[in-house]
Each structure stands twice: as structure tokens, then as C-alpha cells.
Amino acid sequence: MAETAPPAATYDPRVAEPRWQARWEAEGLYRAERDPARPKHYALTMLPYPSGDLHMGHWYAMAPSDARARWMRMRGHNVLFPMGFDAFGLPAENAAIKHGVPPKEWTYRNIERMRGQLRRMGMMVDWRREAISADPEYYRWTQWFFLRLFDGGLAYRKRSPVDWCPGCNTTLAREQVVGEARVCERCETPVTKRDLAQWFLRTTRYADELLRHEGIDWPERVRTLQERWIGRSEGARVEFETEAGEPLEVFTTRPDTLWGVTFMVLAPEHPLVERLTTPAHADAVRAYAEQAARQSDVQREAAGREKTGVWTGGFAVNPVNGERIPVWVADYVLMSYGTGAIMAVPAHDQRDFEFARAFGLPIRPVIVPEGEPPPAPEALEAAVEARGRMVDSGPLTGTPAEAAVERAIAFVEERGAGRRAVTWRLRDWLISRQRYWGAPIPIVHCPSCGPVGVPVAELPVRLPEEVEWRPTGESPLKLHPTWRHRPCPACGEDAERETDTMDTFLCSSWYHLRYLSPRAADAPFDPAEYDYWMPVDTYTGGIEHATMHLIYTRFFHKACRDLGIVRGDEPMRQLRNQGIILGEDSEKMSKSRGNVVAPDALVDRYGTDVVRAYLMFFARWEQGGPWSSQGIQGTWRWLQRVYQLFGAGPDGGPGAPPDAEAVAGLRRRVHQALARVTADFDAFQFNTIISTLMELLNDLVKARDGGLGGTPAWDEALGIYLRMLAPVAPHLAEELWRGPGTPPGRRSIHEEAWPEVDRAAAAEAQLVLAVQVNGKVRDHITVAVGTPEAEIRALALASAGARRSLEGRTPRKVIVVPGRLVNIVA
């Protein structure tokens, strides 16, 4: 590095950064090709939706992810770090309605702008591998995957109550309904319920496997969120019977409490509600069901919420004792869990207890603590804990509670009234969307043959471009005069295409596979590319996708594995989530609050590297935090100081020739910093990477001013510093490594190897040990590394703090904990 010519007084990123970006592209620096001689690393960050502008959240997710991918490359890995666009969805359709712009035009115009912004970010993306989900050659394969799922029995159609947005005229996944007001996340229109024929994927078939996370390194929080979402419960399905003789099945985790059932409750959406309701109660039940349809599952299940409900006027018969019990409708029972019906045991379930008290229903204890009599129901102030022994429970009376569940299951199985069962909170994935801008579902509905898959040779089923848009938002596919009509592929009769399109989450469930070979024309991906690159080694993105995309993509991979399309049990080995950047007012950034920080303006002012480095520095990456406009100036000053230091030359200050101790001190600080930065890159601790580099810069300035400039240790320090800087500030590092004044023909710093830590050089020459007396720190001593224990004991006993605490007493024991402390037991 001593050969570097002095640069200008300040570094101008507006000149240097575009120059290096163009040169990297021309050199093909980031083209990722299979190389069996090197270990591969598939680094993936969640692809953006083409809204038209990269916001600070995109930068916060992508720039640190790029830095780590660069570090992995310098560590000797062959790195693939691709990028694309999740391009279908409602925003484009809403823009078409509002502005009269075709969704395709709106989408691809935004992609062009965002592609330029992404390139300006300086990421090591191989743009030859770009994939756009709205390209016909992409959704051709989305449709192909659907047909494979359909043929494999994993895609099916049924009528189902769904959340419906009247504003967007489409169904919504439950995650797309937000707030207590239950509004559409896109247009904020209040959501209602509607019964429609919909397409589903059988995610529940994989519930048990999705619950497991063996062999993958995912954050514990994501695992917990997925486990709760999937919601496995063991118990029994028990069949009650209405007075009309219809079966009314419930799932219960406590079949031992069947003798304590005093009423039943159905979800308002339960199909038996209408048949059970007597004419005298019909109006009240109907009004209640309409009210319940406006609430979310979370609202309906909220603890402490006042219990509401109406009686249907109907009854059911308890199969274990023949009792006739009233059937109610209440919103705290959900169709999304179990069977949508519960047997209410108010003596031992707090929600049932509160409901019974609210409506004057009977309460019957059937489990009591050992040796105690059953409590008087009217004296109870809350549900009784279900432990002890069974009472008033027919053949189970006297059974210890811990054995009663198994006996109860055996009892109902013997009577043919129930069976052991497992149930899940997870529902099958509703993928139908009543909108235009999505991948058409490749199904033809034939009056004779039913739903028939479009022949693979006819894929893609392309979206028609000449369509009519209505202010209502109704899908133009339903209105198109010719597109929806075609002969049945099976029998040739007149038939109609499916006019629903697919949920965009299906498109994003496999985009990591299309990156492998985005121009492949005869398959969704090249098997040779799959064999080399898959699975994804590191996946980064927001934790808000834990119970949507991250479950869907795992399900999709497992389903494709069973269909023989892919191999392996999981698509992504390691997952890491970034936090959220807040405004300077500590509120979420939004245009309405006026606290949005535009990354483009910051890049114009400070350059890409400063923005990248500040995003890595200002907060712990996995936590996020409030933005600070003042803080970024400190990062700007740091990188300017780096530029000036490397151009100042070796004669930065006067002084005698350096002694061995000064050289050793410089090497120790450099290699200790290298060890910390290496460990922090591995752990995604980006903020401490920057702080370490800032501290080391100060050490380098002191070393130069102390006369170490131009020594071999100095040259080593500069070389290591630049390579540590390269993933963080790729343009500046390249400018200093092979910019003007550097040796000609030098290869890119991004092709250099990550430096190895010299453990001997990093070792401290001296140690500071705490001196404790009876476990309390009383002093500290400084000793040379390798000092014998006997000498360390003597120094500790001679310390002023130890002498004061001992007050002349002879210690019973002196314990040396190597490298940490000395504990004197008085």
C-alpha cells in the first residue's frame, strides 16, 4: 500500500461510484457460474415489489445482506446473490383503475426505475439472473407448478366463506385484513365475509412436517411464530347429535370433561346454524352472524372480552349420558379451529364459565381436588382447575384426572361416538384472487368433465392485454368477450376458463428456483444449477413474513419434493431478519407523518457507501431503530478520514524508528480488530463491524504519527484494513485498492481473500486480572501473559485492595481463574 499515490483532499463518491459500478459490470465481476472447485454460497434477500421507488426499508434489508455476501466471497465461497421483482398484485390493478394506465405498463415502468436504484446501491448482483414474476416465461412455470399440484391432489376447489374486499373486489388472505376495524391492507375498505368457490392448496397435509425445523438455522422467534400459527392440538373428535338426527362433531383436548357439558356453542359461520335455528330465533341469529362477520379471529378470541351470543332455540344430545343440551351461537368460537363447534364445560374452562354466567347457563364441576367435595356451582367465582379426581362422570367417576383423558377416549371409541384425533390451527392455503393482474389459474371448467387442467403445451395461459376496466374493480377477465371461452381440453365441448388468478405468494414461493436459470425454456430451472446451488444458504428479510411467505415457501418445497421436482426437506438453511427503521420521531415512517427519509437524496449528498455503512452502524440490524440525520454525518467523516489516511503516505509524523514493542502493538490491534470483524460478519452484527473499523482507524492514525508509517507492519495494517472495509464500502475500498496511482493490473479488491487472523500477534502481552476477596472485587493487577500462578497469587495478596480487605488475616484459599481473576477466600 505504500505505492499508493496521494488522492485529492476529499473523496467524491459522485464521480467514483458510477465509474466502479460500470467497470464491475464490464468486467463481469459478479457473474455467478458453477465451480465445483469452490464451496458454493447461495445468498438471497427477499425480492421487492415494484412500487416505483426503493424506500429506506429496502436499503436496510439489502445493503447489509450484500455486505455479508461479499464477505462470504472473500472467504473463498462461490457466491450467488440474485435479484428480481415480485411484480403481480393489487397496487398495479388499482393504479390502472385510478389513472387509466395498464397494470403491465405501470409495473414495468416502476421496475425500470427500481432496477436503476438497485444498481446504484452497488450490490454484487448477477443481473443476468434477474427474474420478474409478471413475465409470461415466469408465470408459465407458476402455472406448470399449479398443474403438478392439481394432478397430485394438492390443489382443489371448494365453496368457502372468505374475507372479501368490496373496494378491490377480491378475496383476501386473513393476514391481509388489518386493524380492529377489519379493513383491506391495500385500500382500507371494511372487509366482509362472502361464500365463494375458491382454489386451495393442501398445506394442512404438511402441518406436522412444517412444525419441525430440524437441520435449519432459523431465529427462535420465527420458529415460535410458525409453531403457534400451525397450532397442533391432541385430543378427540366426539360426535353429538341434533334432535333431527344430524351429526354435530366437536374437537376437544379434554374428553374427560364430557360429563360436565351443559351447553354447546357454534361459530356463526357453522353450516348447521341455519338448520338448528328455530323460526322464533332466526332474526336474532342472522343479525348476530352478520355482526360477527365484521370481526377478525384475533378480536373474537381476545382474552377478557365481554362474551356475546344468541341461542338457536335448538338442542343436541350428549353421547356419553344422553342429556339434551342447548346449542348457542357465539363469536368466540372459530370455524378456523377444530370443527367450528365446541362442547362447553363452564366449570373447567374460563371462557365457557364467563359465557355461562353472562347467560345464566348451568355449571357442573366434574373434576375436584383429591379429598375435597364438589364445590357448589353458584359459589364459584371462576373456572376450577381440572386436576384431582373425576366426580359425577358416569363410569369415570373416581378416576384420577391424569388417567381420565385416555379412559374417556376409550369410552367414546367403544360407543362409536368418537375417536382419538389431532387438529391444527393451520388452514389450507386459499390462492384464488378475483383480479386481473396475477398468474391465471390454468383450469378450464367443462359442464361434462368438471375442472380440467390446461395442457402443458399450451402454457402460459397469457393475460389478455386489451381489457375493460370498471370503477368497481371487478376483474376484466370475467368481462372479456373471448378470452374466457374455449373448448374443453378433454372432450372438446364449449367450456370456460377459470377467471381467478393466483395469490402472488405462490409466485414468490419458488422465485429462488427461477434465479438458477431464468432463461430456461423447457423447465422451471436447470437441474444442474439446482444440484450445485440449492438449498439457499442464507435468506434475509422481514420477520413479518414468518406466518405467510416463510410457511408457504417451505410447504411449496416439501410438496414439490414429494412430486419429484426438487430434493431435500427445506429450501433455506439459514434465515436472518432485519428490524424496522423508524422516523426521527421514533414513529413508523409514513408519508402522512412526513417522516419518510428518501435514500436517493442521501445518496446524492453522501454517496452509496456512506448510506450503506450508516445503515449497518446506526442500530443493531435485527432490531432497527429511529433514524438520525445527524448520525450519518459521522459516517461521512469517518470514510473521508479513511481516504485521507491512505493518501497521506508513510511520513505522517515525526519520531524515532519504531521499536519492536510499538510494531507488536500495532499488529496486535489490527489482528484483534480482524478477529472481531470476522466474528461479527458471521453473526450478522453489522453495527459492531463499523465501530471496530472506526476505532482501528484512530489506532492507525496514532501509529502513523508515532513513526510506524512505511514499515512492513504499517503496510500489512493498511492491506488488512482495506479488505475489511471492502464489503461495507465497496466503491471506496476499490478506489483505494486499484484506483489512480495504484499498481497497474491489480485485480479487484473484491476478488482478494479475506485476511487470516494471526492469533499469536493478536494475543495480549499483558492481562488485567480482577482481585476478589470473598467474591467481591477489591482491586486489579496487571501481569505479563504466561506469569506463573504462584507469582500471580503473590501479586494479588500484595495488592492494596486485598491487604485492606484481609486486615491481617491469613487467607484460607487463593483461587486463580486463568485470564480472568484471582479470588481470595478469607
Side-chain angles (χ1 to χ4, degrees), residues 11-18 21 24 59 63-64 66 70 116-123 599-616 632 635-636 639 727-732:
Y11 171 63
D12 188 351
R14 292 170 297 183
V15 175
E17 290 178 350
Q21 289 165 14
W24 294 336
W59 273 77
D66 173 70
R70 289 176 176 277
Q117 292 175 306
L118 287 164
R119 286 179 177 273
R120 195 180 186 193
M121 200 185 290
M123 295 194 300
D600 281 5
L602 291 170
V603 174
D604 289 341
R605 182 174 180 183
Y606 296 108
T608 291
D609 284 349
V610 170
V611 178
R612 287 171 59 105
Y614 182 63
L615 286 170
M616 296 170 69
I632 195 172
T635 304
W636 160 261
L639 290 182
V728 174
H731 307 87
L732 174 59

Side-chain angles (χ1 to χ4, degrees), residues 764-771 779-785 817-822:
E764 288 287 353
Q766 293 183 317
L767 297 173
V768 177
L769 306 179
V771 178
D779 210 333
H780 291 83
I781 58 173
T782 301
V783 299
V785 173
V817 180
R820 292 181 54 203
L821 57 87
V822 181

Side-chain angles (χ1 to χ4, degrees), residues 175-202:
E175 301 87 355
Q176 294 168 314
V177 182
V178 297
E180 293 188 5
R182 294 263 299 154
V183 299
C184 170
E185 69 171 355
R186 294 294 189 191
C187 69
E188 300 186 351
T189 300
V191 171
T192 61
K193 291 285 186 182
R194 180 177 288 192
D195 199 37
L196 292 176
Q198 306 281 286
W199 284 96
F200 293 82
L201 300 184
R202 296 188 192 277

Side-chain angles (χ1 to χ4, degrees), residues 661-736:
E661 185 175 339
V663 170
L666 173 60
R667 296 197 72 232
R668 181 166 54 252
R669 289 190 293 275
V670 169
H671 283 276
Q672 286 177 346
L674 175 59
R676 290 197 299 272
V677 169
T678 301
D680 288 342
F681 262 121
D682 189 54
F684 295 80
Q685 298 296 325
F686 301 110
N687 59 324
T688 48
I689 291 170
I690 306 301
S691 61
T692 297
L693 291 174
M694 289 177 171
E695 292 166 7
L696 183 57
L697 179 66
N698 293 332
D699 290 335
L700 293 178
V701 170
K702 291 176 185 176
R704 180 200 63 189
D705 294 345
L708 290 179
T711 64
W714 173 256
D715 288 345
E716 177 196 36
L718 294 190
I720 290 175
Y721 193 92
L722 266 193
R723 281 177 282 172
M724 288 194 291
L725 183 70
V728 174
H731 307 87
L732 174 59
E734 190 79 295
E735 180 79 3
L736 294 171

Side-chain angles (χ1 to χ4, degrees), residues 44-46 213 216-223 226 536-546 549-551 553-554 572-578 621 684:
L44 183 64
T45 192
M46 293 181 186
H213 294 83
I216 56 176
D217 175 16
W218 284 34
E220 188 61 35
R221 187 179 170 200
V222 173
R223 293 171 181 246
Q226 292 197 347
V536 173
D537 294 284
T538 297
Y539 195 29
T540 57
I543 197 169
E544 67 273 14
H545 295 293
H549 164 64
L550 290 172
I551 283 183
T553 195
R554 291 182 66 216
M572 290 98 182
R573 282 190 179 125
Q574 182 184 63
L575 172 72
R576 291 296 182 267
N577 306 118
Q578 80 277 359
W621 186 66
F684 295 80

Side-chain angles (χ1 to χ4, degrees), residues 291-479:
Q291 176 188 342
R294 290 283 307 118
Q295 300 172 49
S296 71
D297 289 358
V298 173
Q299 290 171 311
R300 287 165 59 170
E301 286 189 296
R305 180 171 172 266
E306 183 182 353
K307 296 297 180 289
T308 63
V310 291
W311 183 31
T312 64
F315 292 85
V317 177
N318 188 332
V320 300
N321 57 16
E323 284 190 357
R324 184 171 178 262
I325 53 178
V327 181
W328 286 66
V329 172
D331 59 10
Y332 76 93
V333 178
L334 306 176
M335 281 303 298
S336 59
Y337 181 80
T339 65
I342 67 163
M343 54 179 228
V345 186
H348 305 294
D349 182 277
Q350 187 60 28
R351 292 187 308 171
D352 296 345
F353 179 87
E354 293 168 3
F355 192 91
R357 281 283 188 257
F359 294 99
L361 296 167
I363 298 174
R364 182 189 303 153
V366 291
I367 306 176
V368 298
E370 199 66 51
E372 294 185 14
E378 62 274 10
L380 292 176
E381 296 182 359
V384 178
E385 188 177 357
R387 61 183 179 87
R389 61 182 174 83
M390 306 298 300
V391 298
D392 297 332
S393 298
L396 266 66
T397 299
T399 303
E402 57 268 22
V405 170
E406 289 299 318
R407 285 196 59 186
I409 292 175
F411 181 80
V412 296
E413 286 181 337
E414 288 168 7
R415 295 171 66 95
R419 64 194 184 281
R420 185 184 306 276
V422 173
T423 195
W424 308 86
R425 185 175 182 269
L426 181 71
R427 301 291 90 191
D428 280 345
W429 178 7
L430 167 61
I431 65 162
S432 288
R433 296 295 181 268
Q434 291 71 44
R435 60 177 178 238
Y436 164 81
W437 193 235
I441 295 175
I443 291 290
V444 175
H445 295 286
C446 174
S448 301
C449 306
V452 179
V454 172
V456 170
E458 296 182 18
L459 299 181
V461 176
R462 289 177 177 265
L463 289 168
E465 296 198 8
E466 298 299 322
V467 295
E468 178 186 355
W469 292 96
R470 292 187 178 179
T472 61
E474 190 173 2
S475 172
L477 298 180
K478 295 181 179 179
L479 309 172

